[in-house]
Structures are given as C-alpha cells and as structure tokens.
Amino acid sequence: MSEVQSEAAAKKRNPMRMALGGVILVGVAAVLYVIAAASFKPHGPADLREFKKASLEKLDVPAAPRAAPATPFTGLDGKTATLADFKGRVVVMNLWATWCAPCKAEMPTLAKLQAAYATQPLTVLPISVDRDSDLNLVTAEMAANPPLKTYRDPSYRMSFALDPKAGGFPTTVIYDKQGRERARMTGPADWASPEAKGLVEKLLAE
C-alpha cells in the first residue's frame, strides 16, 4: 500500500474512532449522573404504617411529621424540662395517671421497652397528670417499673398543647431524633411487643 493510500485509510478510521469515543464518554457521563443523583436524592421520613397492627392496631401515623409542643413539664426534683431537651433521641412520651387502670396495665411494657434499649438513644418519657396530693402514688408506680423516671404535668398543659390534643389516657406520642411527632397511640398497648420494637428500631436507624 502506498503512503497516500495509508494516509487515506487513516483518515477514514479517525472519524469512526472519534464517534465511538464520543458514545463511550456519553455513556460514562450518564452512569455518573445516575450515581450522583442517587447519592444526593433526599430521603423522606420512614413510613411507620407497617407497624399499625396487633397491639398497635389503633396507631395514628400522620401524613407528615408534626412539630412537638414547647410545653414544659417537671421532673421529680422539680426541675423544668421540655421535649426539646431530648432532641437527638427517639422519645416515647406517655401521658398517664394513677387513677387510669389501662395506664397502669401498660406501664410494665414501657419499662421493658426502655430497658431493652438502655444503650441506645431512646427515652421513654412517662408524664403523670396526677394531682400533687397523689405524688406518693406516682412515685410508687415508677418505683415498681424501673428504669422509668418520674415526670409530671398536673395542669394537663401537655395534653392540650398536642395538635390534635390528647384524646384521653393513656396517650403515647413517638418523636424522632429531630423532635418531630411520627406516631401516636390513644389507649393502651404492649410496648414490649415486636411491632412496638420494630417501630422504635426504624426510628433509631434514621
């Protein structure tokens, strides 16, 4: 083959190589775009409706997370606290009273839930609405259900600050690590059940 013929053949091959190279580059760019889009795609809150069964059959899972009230309550030492103090932890807030039989019946299961996740960022927060004159009954109930701690709101401020307000006792509200209400249970439940633990674990994993 002459030098002229070789040069002509090379010129024919170069456009083909360039076209093929362009296709490969476009393909690589597309793959990288898909990977990047998947990496930066915002993930919404987990759907907790799968745990709406058995003892949590009446669980209310709002369509969108609800803001937690800033309402203060007190510890046994009289110090004031708010839900914001527990941000960064999954919180299972339980509004209850010693005169409420279903409240007392479920309390041991709340204690078991707290004990099962003692090394994880979970706080079971029982808040009693009992009068000051019944404080001895409140402390006795908590003493019978370690490791739960005593918190109080005898004025019912938290019950009315919830949106919607508490529909009775017990009312249990579950907050995620960002301090948002993600689920609510009006009435008693078995908080040591597989469905309750599954709900908590899903929020702990977020």
Side-chain angles (χ1 to χ4, degrees):
M1 183 182 293
S2 68
E3 184 177 342
V4 175
Q5 289 176 324
S6 298
E7 186 177 347
K11 287 181 179 179
K12 287 181 181 180
R13 287 196 299 270
N14 284 340
M16 292 179 64
R17 288 177 179 173
M18 291 176 64
L20 182 59
V23 170
I24 292 173
L25 287 174
V26 169
V28 170
V31 170
L32 291 174
Y33 174 81
V34 170
I35 292 173
S39 300
F40 293 101
K41 185 179 179 180
H43 296 285
D47 187 352
L48 303 178
R49 288 176 296 178
E50 64 179 289
F51 306 108
K52 187 178 170 67
K53 58 186 177 182
S55 73
L56 297 184
E57 184 179 359
K58 296 181 180 180
L59 188 73
D60 171 39
V61 180
R66 298 167 178 156
T71 308
F73 48 92
T74 60
L76 187 59
D77 56 5
K79 290 184 179 179
T80 299
T82 67
L83 288 168
D85 295 328
F86 299 89
K87 198 168 183 180
R89 303 179 65 85
V90 173
V91 175
V92 178
M93 182 183 74
N94 179 259
L95 301 177
W96 72 287
T98 58
W99 43 258
C100 166
C103 298
K104 296 179 71 173
E106 75 170 358
M107 197 60 69
T109 70
L110 285 162
K112 288 178 182 178
L113 181 67
Q114 180 65 87
Y117 296 94
T119 60
Q120 298 191 49
L122 170 75
T123 296
V124 176
L125 195 63
I127 302 178
S128 165
V129 297
D130 286 275
R131 299 172 299 180
D132 291 342
S133 58
D134 291 328
L135 180 57
N136 61 319
L137 300 177
V138 175
T139 54
E141 186 67 27
M142 290 295 98
N145 291 287
L148 298 181
K149 296 181 180 179
T150 302
Y151 293 94
R152 305 185 61 228
D153 180 29
S155 64
Y156 291 78
R157 287 178 296 178
M158 181 66 77
S159 302
F160 287 101
L162 293 174
D163 184 18
K165 67 181 181 180
F169 301 102
T171 289
T172 305
V173 187
I174 297 96
Y175 296 94
D176 62 18
K177 294 176 185 177
Q178 297 181 50
R180 305 174 301 177
E181 178 182 339
R182 298 288 296 280
R184 185 187 299 200
M185 181 77 181
T186 301
D190 180 359
W191 294 103
S193 64
E195 58 273 16
K197 289 182 177 180
L199 186 156
V200 164
E201 287 171 9
K202 195 142 193 176
L203 291 177
L204 285 171
E206 286 187 346

